[in-house]
Amino acid sequence: MDIFLQQLINGLVLGSVYALVALGYTMVYGILGLINFAHGEVVMVGAMVVLSMISLLSSFPLPLGSELILLISVVSAIIVCSTLAFFMEKVAYRPLRNAPRLAPLITAIGMSILLQNIAMMIWGRQYKTFPDLFSITSYDLAGANITNVQIFIICLSILIMIALLLLINLTRIGRAMRATAENPSIASLMGVNVNTIISLTFVIGAALAAVAGVLVSANYSVAHYSMGFILGLKAFTAAVLGGIGNMAGAMIGGILLGLIESIGAGYISDITGGFMGSHYQDVFAFLVLIVVLVFRPTGIMGERIADRS
Amino acid sequence: MTLLKVTDFRVAYGGIKAVKGVNLEILRGEIVALIGSNGAGKTTLLKAICGLLRFEGQMTFAGVDAKRKRSDQLVKLGLSLVPEGRGVFGRLTVSENLMMGAFLIKDKTSIKNDIDRIYQMFPRLAERKNQIAGTLSGGEQQMLAIGRAMMARPKMLLLDEPSMGLAPMMVEKIFHVIDEISNSNVTILLVEQNANLALNFAARAYVMDSGRITLDGPSFELKTDSSVRRAYLGG
Ligand SMILES: Nc1ncnc2c1ncn2[C@@H]1O[C@H](COP(=O)(O)OP(=O)(O)O)[C@@H](O)[C@H]1O
Ligand SMILES: [Mg+2]
């Protein structure tokens, strides 16, 4: 089996999920200058809602097809996550809009812990397994394996990202979002309701997070109330790597981080002479974070920080 | 008929009072200038009128009580600001900036016609329509800021120091366009530090000093007023 190609595939799958989550961080940062540390928990809630919905719908007496069950579950997760993010912004962040930057940051961390605890109360402490809605088929690709789930994850993520780029770059609302990110006061002088745009940003980010939650739990077949924390931190790393505030950067950063992590994990044992195994995979993400912050804090696509006042 | 009226208008930054009880009344179709030295409170006054800063006192616009209205609501009522320092969206293209100006206008063909009209007014913008606005020169950015404000089809245009930092040729061009705009039935409140320019352009003016209106009247009278000459016209 070709290890490199295999890790490339795994990295791409992981990276597409990071990219979807990183977009949420970067969009909110772009518009509010806030790092929404609770964003990872939105991903977790998405995964949990999908699991609950699938088991609920599967136990229905009337036979729904697997595709329909999945579709309804994912749509429910998107609705729940978007609503959650909408109120999170309104209740926790909006009152602090003009407060010193540390205040909303601490609130975000508090919100993250709060959501984890609420999720633990609702869904319990145990790992929840993703039901086998579809049989997993594995295909051979030049000596590496790729499953139908993995193909689905990569394709869906790419589709969503293209749709998002079209929305942001070609529509009236997307233009208003970019204008608001650049200068909220001037945007409001154009007739833009800045609060609506900010809510919309949270809602879109949460919808992407919900999808990412579904994809990541389908890929690993498990979900847990604490899964959002590390995932969120890594997606944040991806956003910083790409240049926080920059959407194309979040996509590139996400994919790149996924690749670095999984290729690193594939070879870490060789590099350290067997001293560290592939379960040290997480080390790479945070090494990347430190290296980027030290040597290129603006990330790959980032502009000068001085650009934003 | 009165278009904009502010009464006992006060604005503060925290404890610092920047506007201390201003009264203005501007009629439909007028061109009015507001002059005053740096730090007099002109920008603060305009920002508060446009809903960007909170104020105490009263304000009516187009017959509507405009106190506590957000900027986007005031734009809808027909009040547009060309902000100090232009405030173009530097990462958006010229044509995207213009389309932002028309954010509240739903009819696509009328937006297109308006954009064509702006390009006729400022052929330089037409040449650069797909260029990122941040790469324009100061004068071009001022043109864009004015064009963008006009895209909202305002009843009244507030201009905050449109001549700032521009070469005399460019100032002349900009003022020619402002004149054209005023001829198309748009009421204008022009803030200028360049008092000479403002008093020659506007029919009527207010003089602001340390957050208060100290004088007002027809421009020709102010031009001959000894205190105005000493303070703002260089003798
Ligand atoms: N954001 C701000 N915070 C505190 N004080 C300000 C702020 N902006 C302006 N000021 C003060 O308010 C006063 C009026 O400023 P401004 O309205 O910009 O005057 P002008 O436009 O006439 O030059 C000045 O004393 C200025 O220092
Ligand atoms: Mg000023």
Side-chain angles (χ1 to χ4, degrees):
Chain A
M1 198 174 81
D2 187 333
I3 290 191
F4 185 75
L5 187 61
Q6 188 63 56
Q7 295 306 84
L8 212 61
I9 293 170
N10 295 345
L12 217 54
V13 172
L14 198 59
S16 349
V17 174
Y18 289 161
L20 289 181
V21 184
L23 279 165
Y25 278 102
T26 233
M27 285 168 74
V28 165
Y29 183 87
I31 228 155
L32 283 182
L34 163 75
I35 294 162
N36 177 15
F37 271 114
H39 189 58
E41 272 58 50
V42 179
V43 179
M44 173 273 294
V45 170
M48 291 300 193
V49 169
V50 161
L51 291 191
S52 302
M53 283 302 288
I54 290 177
S55 49
L56 181 76
L57 293 173
S58 307
S59 66
F60 261 32
L62 58 155
L64 300 164
S66 302
E67 288 85 3
L68 190 60
I69 291 183
L70 186 67
L71 186 68
I72 298 175
S73 309
V74 173
V75 170
S76 316
I78 290 175
I79 292 171
V80 170
C81 288
S82 298
T83 312
L84 174 67
F86 176 83
F87 284 107
M88 185 156 75
E89 187 273 324
K90 212 164 179 134
V91 173
Y93 302 141
R94 191 169 299 181
L96 300 172
R97 192 81 57 78
N98 298 314
R101 278 164 93 103
L102 198 56
L105 188 67
I106 291 171
T107 306
I109 294 170
M111 187 54 77
S112 158
I113 296 168
L114 179 71
L115 288 177
Q116 277 189 47
N117 282 282
I118 292 175
M120 189 184 74
M121 287 177 343
I122 298 175
W123 287 288
R125 304 175 144 278
Q126 67 284 16
Y127 282 83
K128 299 183 78 90
T129 50
F130 201 87
D132 320 304
L133 262 187
F134 301 93
S135 54
I136 294 175
T137 358
S138 204
Y139 304 97
D140 183 76
L141 192 84
N145 282 320
I146 185 162
T147 68
N148 52 350
V149 174
Q150 290 179 316
I151 295 173
F152 179 73
I153 291 176
I154 294 173
C155 292
L156 184 65
S157 307
I158 290 174
L159 275 180
I160 289 176
M161 287 190 259
I162 290 173
L164 186 66
L165 284 179
L166 293 179
L167 172 81
I168 295 296
N169 289 308
L170 297 180
T171 68
R172 169 175 171 272
I173 285 297
R175 199 159 49 232
M177 290 174 77
R178 282 181 292 140
T180 306
E182 192 172 328
N183 192 331
S185 314
I186 304 281
S188 77
L189 290 175
M190 307 291 113
V192 175
N193 184 337
V194 171
N195 281 336
T196 307
I197 294 292
I198 291 172
S199 295
L200 185 68
T201 305
F202 272 83
V203 164
I204 292 176
L208 299 178
V211 174
V214 177
L215 297 182
V216 78
S217 58
N219 190 41
Y220 293 120
S221 300
V222 289
H224 189 241
Y225 76 90
S226 70
M227 68 185 270
F229 185 71
I230 288 287
L231 181 65
L233 221 48
K234 286 183 181 173
F236 167 68
T237 303
V240 172
L241 174 62
I244 190 135
N246 184 303
M247 296 188 46
M251 299 179 190
I252 295 169
I255 303 280
L256 211 56
L257 186 70
L259 290 174
I260 292 172
E261 226 184 78
S262 92
I263 290 170
Y267 293 98
I268 189 171
S269 167
D270 294 347
I271 298 167
T272 59
F275 180 66
M276 288 166 129
S278 62
H279 49 279
Y280 278 92
Q281 170 172 0
D282 291 352
V283 166
F284 290 98
F286 303 114
L287 262 179
V288 167
L289 182 60
I290 292 165
V291 169
V292 172
L293 287 178
V294 171
F295 292 104
R296 194 177 159 82
T298 56
I300 298 169
M301 308 276 291
E303 302 166 48
R304 283 164 295 120
I305 300 284
D307 225 44
R308 280 191 60 91
S309 53
Chain B
M1 205 168 55
T2 302
L3 182 58
L4 173 71
K5 183 171 180 175
V6 306
T7 316
D8 191 25
F9 200 88
R10 281 162 287 137
V11 189
Y13 295 103
I16 306 157
K17 297 188 173 91
V19 176
K20 308 165 185 166
V22 163
N23 299 309
L24 299 176
E25 183 163 2
I26 295 171
L27 308 182
R28 235 174 251 271
E30 272 196 300
I31 303 183
V32 179
L34 175 66
I35 60 175
S37 49
N38 197 11
K42 306 180 297 295
T43 297
T44 306
L45 176 62
L46 288 199
K47 279 186 170 175
I49 288 176
C50 288
L52 293 178
L53 296 170
R54 283 180 78 92
F55 65 85
E56 296 301 321
Q58 304 309 318
M59 167 175 163
T60 56
F61 180 76
V64 178
D65 179 8
K67 194 170 184 179
R68 301 281 172 267
K69 286 228 186 298
R70 295 188 313 263
S71 345
D72 55 292
Q73 297 170 318
L74 291 165
V75 178
K76 212 173 237 164
L77 289 177
L79 184 64
S80 280
L81 172 70
V82 178
E84 186 176 60
R86 338 321 170 185
V88 300
F89 297 112
R91 292 180 215 154
L92 271 55
T93 64
V94 168
S95 71
E96 283 179 326
N97 267 276
L98 292 177
M99 284 192 272
M100 276 313 297
F103 184 73
L104 292 177
I105 294 176
K106 294 281 141 53
D107 179 15
K108 284 220 169 99
T109 47
S110 90
I111 293 179
K112 217 193 144 302
N113 293 340
D114 287 357
I115 290 189
D116 288 343
R117 210 164 46 99
I118 305 289
Y119 285 157
Q120 270 164 26
M121 246 190 244
F122 299 115
R124 284 271 271 281
L125 294 183
E127 290 162 25
R128 288 162 171 68
K129 60 182 171 194
N130 295 320
Q131 198 170 316
I132 297 292
T135 63
L136 298 179
S137 75
E140 290 161 353
Q141 291 196 7
Q142 189 64 63
M143 294 176 188
L144 181 56
I146 293 173
R148 185 181 63 179
M150 287 307 294
M151 289 296 297
R153 303 196 149 194
K155 292 191 179 75
M156 181 170 190
L157 198 59
L158 312 180
L159 295 130
D160 196 348
E161 306 217 26
S163 75
M164 195 200 264
L166 300 186
M169 281 262 290
M170 187 60 84
V171 173
E172 202 175 305
K173 182 155 180 43
I174 298 277
F175 272 74
H176 177 72
V177 169
I178 300 173
D179 193 41
E180 250 176 62
I181 291 172
S182 135
N183 287 335
S184 69
N185 231 345
V186 177
T187 308
I188 289 183
L189 176 58
L190 171 71
V191 165
E192 264 300 333
Q193 257 190 74
N194 185 338
N196 215 345
L197 186 64
L199 292 178
N200 284 325
F201 187 75
R204 197 160 70 80
Y206 292 92
V207 180
M208 192 169 187
D209 185 28
S210 310
R212 291 194 173 84
I213 300 293
T214 50
L215 263 178
D216 73 273
S219 299
F220 70 88
E221 276 179 21
L222 293 180
K223 266 191 280 189
T224 54
D225 183 279
S226 60
S227 65
V228 173
R229 294 183 70 87
R230 217 177 314 114
Y232 305 108
L233 297 173

